[in-house]
């Protein structure tokens, strides 16, 4: 696309007096808007003809990269598989047109979907009851921790104000605990990336009677299954704390194993990750919370109405379209894809933790550090080849983290194409490092100054005009 021809901003294409519409002559006489309700200055709107507007926005939309453009191996907060049929189901006017204040007897279908989804989630997780109200994973964490806090308070055990969080946890875990008014203690990971059980025992010996809960992510943020859960669960419960499961990315576990069976008391699931809602740019989401029997009476009211219903619809459509038999294939296929990429690239990218991973894994940058090519450079170069970058510089356990998650629906050809490009970039890093360090070369904008963008963001047209 030619940016000069179509302009960067619609305002820059504006010509005084130009219009993209023509209205019939007013046949109804005039109506005076009271003076105090009128604006003092004309609205500053761009004035453009129809084709300019259409081309401008069509070209802008083509600059977006999404799962529908190409492979998108982003780990953790990822865009997983979003089947198109779910969009059709969520958009059915019989559901999409409902109003949350409609009389109950007119929304029985929607109520049934909510109830049936909760029942499916109970079956998939081994927990007793779910609430669909939370609007995101972090909101679910807060809701779950509120349940745990109320549970301890109901027993007159107000001293329990500590939440144990592994150092590999997603940043929302400690943040949610803090928002809930609880204090956080971190437990270290072993060099194999899993929770250090001895360090945890030590913590519990010192603080056991103050522990409200331990939060765990499984598979953890490094994509590893936490094998010590039985021992951990026993120690925390003996100390009187509850076990919280961060199930944001539950896809590798579906139909394979269940948090409830592992001894967890409370969990959240990100429907927008595990159960297929496209959620770019921060929404929409839903973070249902599930609890063990006896804790459902502590569900707080955290949102008006019934949560994010269109996300609920997609999740239920996804579960039904896979069914009991095929939902079991999601985890093994995603795990196979991740391990295939890991093993195919570990001779050129640094693999800090050997062994089987689940649905995702982390490289610590290129193996050959002498080229000066960083994880950022690799990520930018991938854009030139038509691939979305993996998650970079997260988790914080390594300096050059490159976190890769291929979902279960990607074909072997797609994955082989990605492996080939990753190997090619490793070769370029040796032969021609400047080519990689100055990437991307084929995108409308090259490298932005991240620091300047964060410290001095220009977010309005007026600011941009003033800057020039
Ligand atoms: C994405 C994610 C969260 C937070 O979910 P949001 O919907 O972004 O609030 C929490 N934990 C883990 C492990 C995640 O991947």
């Amino acid at each position: 696309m030619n940016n000069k021809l179509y302009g960067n901003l619609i305002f820059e294409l504006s010509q005084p007096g130009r219009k993209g519409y023509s209205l019939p002559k007013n046949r109804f006489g005039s109506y005076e808007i009271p003076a105090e309700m009128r604006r003092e200055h004309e609205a500053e709107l761009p004035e453009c003809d129809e084709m300019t507007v259409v081309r401008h926005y069509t070209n802008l939309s083509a600059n977006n990269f999404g799962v529908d453009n190409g492979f998108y191996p982003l780990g953790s907060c990822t865009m997983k598989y979003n089947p198109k049929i779910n969009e059709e189901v969520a958009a059915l006017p019989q559901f999409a047109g409902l109003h949350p204040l409609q009389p109950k007897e007119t929304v029985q279908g929607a109520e049934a979907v909510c109830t049936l989804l909760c029942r499916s989630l109970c079956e998939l997780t081994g927990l007793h009851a779910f609430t669909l109200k939370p609007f995101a994973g972090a909101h679910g964490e807060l809701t779950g921790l509120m349940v745990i806090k109320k549970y301890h308070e109901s027993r007159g055990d107000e001293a329990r104000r500590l939440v144990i969080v592994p150092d590999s946890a997603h940043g929302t875990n400690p943040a949610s605990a803090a928002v809930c008014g609880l204090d956080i203690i971190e437990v270290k990971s072993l060099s194999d990336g899993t929770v250090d059980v001895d360090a945890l025992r030590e913590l519990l010996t010192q603080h056991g009677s103050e522990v409200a809960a331990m939060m765990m992510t499984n598979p953890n943020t490094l994509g590893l299954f936490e094998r010590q859960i039985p021992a951990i669960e026993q120690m925390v419960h003996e100390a009187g704390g509850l076990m919280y499961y961060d199930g944001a990315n539950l896809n590798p576990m579906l139909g394979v194993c269940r948090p409830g069976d592992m001894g967890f008391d409370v969990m959240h699931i990100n429907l927008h990750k595990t159960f297929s809602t496209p959620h770019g740019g921060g929404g929409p989401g839903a973070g249902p919370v599930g609890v063990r029997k006896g804790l459902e009476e502590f569900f707080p009211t955290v949102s008006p109405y019934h949560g994010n219903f269109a996300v609920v619809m997609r999740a239920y459509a996804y579960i039904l379209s896979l069914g009991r038999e095929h939902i079991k294939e999601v985890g093994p296929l995603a795990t196979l894809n991740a391990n295939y990429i890991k093993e195919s690239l570990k001779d050129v990218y640094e693999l800090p933790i050997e062994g089987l991973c689940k649905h995702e894994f982390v490289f610590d940058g290129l193996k050959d550090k002498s080229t000066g090519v960083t994880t950022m450079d690799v990520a930018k170069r991938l854009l030139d080849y038509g691939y979305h970058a993996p998650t970079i510089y997260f988790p914080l356990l390594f300096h050059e983290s490159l976190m890769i998650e291929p979902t279960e629906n990607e074909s072997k050809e797609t994955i082989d194409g990605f492996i080939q490009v990753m190997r090619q970039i490793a070769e370029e890093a040796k032969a021609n490092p400047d080519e990689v360090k100055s990437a991307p070369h084929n995108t409308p904008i090259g490298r932005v100054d991240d620091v300047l963008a964060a410290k001095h963001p220009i977010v309005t047209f007026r600011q941009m005009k003033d800057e020039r």
Side-chain angles (χ1 to χ4, degrees):
M1 127 178 193
N2 185 337
N3 265 318
K4 285 201 191 71
L5 187 57
Y6 297 111
N8 288 319
L9 293 172
I10 191 79
F11 288 93
E12 292 169 320
L13 302 172
S14 180
Q15 295 292 337
R18 192 156 296 171
K19 286 189 172 62
Y21 64 88
S22 75
L23 294 176
K25 250 197 153 93
N26 179 3
R27 291 178 290 125
F28 305 105
S30 62
Y31 173 77
E32 275 293 301
I33 297 172
E36 71 274 16
M37 296 180 80
R38 268 181 262 151
R39 62 168 76 245
E40 284 167 16
H41 309 285
E42 283 283 306
E44 268 187 72
L45 297 176
E47 298 177 84
C48 299
D49 57 282
E50 181 183 1
M51 284 325 295
T52 300
V53 173
V54 170
R55 287 174 188 153
H56 176 73
Y57 287 107
T58 304
N59 285 319
L60 268 188
S61 75
N63 283 341
N64 256 344
F65 190 101
V67 273
D68 293 345
N69 297 94
F71 187 49
Y72 202 105
L74 198 67
S76 185
C77 296
T78 193
M79 199 56 88
K80 302 191 203 297
Y81 176 35
N82 307 314
K84 297 291 174 267
I85 189 169
N86 297 353
E87 298 305 312
E88 278 180 42
V89 170
L92 287 173
Q94 295 89 332
F95 290 104
L98 296 177
H99 190 281
L101 293 180
Q102 255 176 258
K104 226 174 158 62
E105 62 272 20
T106 66
V107 293
Q108 289 300 301
E111 295 251 333
V113 169
C114 293
T115 305
L116 290 168
L117 177 66
C118 284
R119 218 177 275 170
S120 304
L121 296 181
C122 286
E123 202 171 319
L124 283 165
T125 60
L127 290 170
H128 174 71
F130 265 84
T131 169
L132 299 177
K133 288 192 165 233
F135 285 120
H139 197 198
E141 291 168 26
L142 174 65
T143 308
L145 289 168
M146 286 165 84
V147 168
I148 290 171
K149 200 171 162 196
K150 273 202 209 161
Y151 162 78
H152 290 307
E153 282 168 7
S154 77
R155 296 155 46 93
D157 207 355
E158 278 92 359
R160 294 193 178 270
R161 308 201 62 80
L162 287 181
V163 178
I164 303 174
V165 181
D167 60 3
S168 65
H170 195 272
T172 50
N173 287 190
S176 301
V179 172
C180 196
L182 298 166
D183 298 320
I184 298 113
I185 13 176
E186 197 176 84
V187 59
K188 293 260 166 287
S189 299
L190 293 168
S191 59
D192 75 354
T194 59
V195 170
D196 183 341
V197 177
D198 292 330
L200 177 64
R201 187 175 296 114
E202 183 71 29
L203 275 182
L204 289 168
T205 311
Q206 281 180 33
H207 302 288
S209 61
E210 299 158 70
V211 169
M214 161 129 188
M215 297 180 89
M216 282 188 82
T217 306
N218 186 49
N220 69 18
T221 308
L222 295 168
L224 304 172
F225 194 95
E226 292 278 0
R227 290 195 186 76
Q228 296 294 338
I229 284 174
I232 293 172
E233 171 264 319
Q234 202 182 350
M235 277 159 49
V236 172
H237 280 138
E238 272 170 14
L242 295 186
M243 290 293 290
Y244 185 95
Y245 192 102
D246 180 335
N249 309 286
L250 200 67
N251 44 328
M253 300 299 167
L254 296 176
V256 179
C257 58
R258 311 193 301 172
D261 299 339
M262 300 177 204
F264 285 88
D265 305 287
V266 181
M267 77 176 296
H268 80 271
I269 303 174
N270 281 18
L271 294 187
H272 50 293
K273 291 181 189 169
T274 298
F275 294 108
S276 82
T277 283
H279 57 277
V289 169
V291 295
R292 181 174 293 294
K293 195 171 168 67
L295 291 177
E296 66 275 21
E297 61 178 291
F298 302 115
F299 276 145
T301 300
V302 290
S303 63
Y305 312 125
H306 308 285
N308 212 336
F309 183 65
V311 182
V312 166
M313 286 295 293
R314 291 188 188 93
Y316 193 52
Y318 180 70
I319 290 172
L320 284 192
S321 57
L322 284 170
R324 194 184 292 274
E325 278 161 65
H326 297 293
I327 210 159
K328 281 190 232 159
E329 291 167 23
V330 169
L333 282 174
T335 299
L336 178 64
N337 284 351
N339 281 285
Y340 178 58
I341 296 179
K342 171 171 66 67
E343 293 302 312
S344 305
L345 290 174
K346 72 177 188 186
D347 59 325
V348 281
Y349 289 86
E350 183 72 39
L351 182 65
I353 297 173
E354 276 282 350
L356 272 185
C357 63
K358 291 294 161 212
H359 60 304
E360 63 190 354
F361 66 94
V362 184
F363 281 134
D364 190 6
L366 279 160
K367 199 155 194 169
D368 182 355
K369 303 280 189 238
S370 71
T371 64
V373 170
T374 63
T375 279
M376 177 66 86
D377 302 327
V378 173
K380 297 291 185 194
R381 187 66 176 142
L382 275 169
L383 301 176
D384 280 337
Y385 289 108
Y387 291 89
H388 195 280
T391 297
I392 57 170
Y393 298 106
F394 179 83
L396 306 176
L397 297 176
F398 313 113
H399 287 297
E400 292 288 326
S401 287
L402 195 66
M403 185 183 203
I404 299 176
E405 173 170 2
T407 47
E408 73 279 7
N409 54 307
E410 296 295 350
S411 70
K412 178 155 184 299
E413 291 72 23
T414 299
I415 290 179
D416 282 336
F418 175 71
I419 291 169
Q420 195 199 331
V421 162
M422 286 289 280
R423 298 193 71 86
Q424 186 163 334
I425 294 173
E427 270 169 37
E428 287 174 356
K430 279 186 200 155
N432 191 2
D434 286 340
E435 175 88 1
V436 186
K437 290 166 86 57
S438 55
H441 306 287
N442 306 337
T443 52
I445 295 176
R447 292 212 187 185
V448 291
D449 184 334
D450 293 341
V451 177
L452 196 67
K455 296 230 161 179
H456 186 63
I458 297 175
V459 293
T460 67
F461 176 58
R462 191 179 303 281
Q463 245 178 322
M464 190 159 166
K465 262 203 320 207
D466 293 347
E467 291 286 322
R468 280 182 182 167

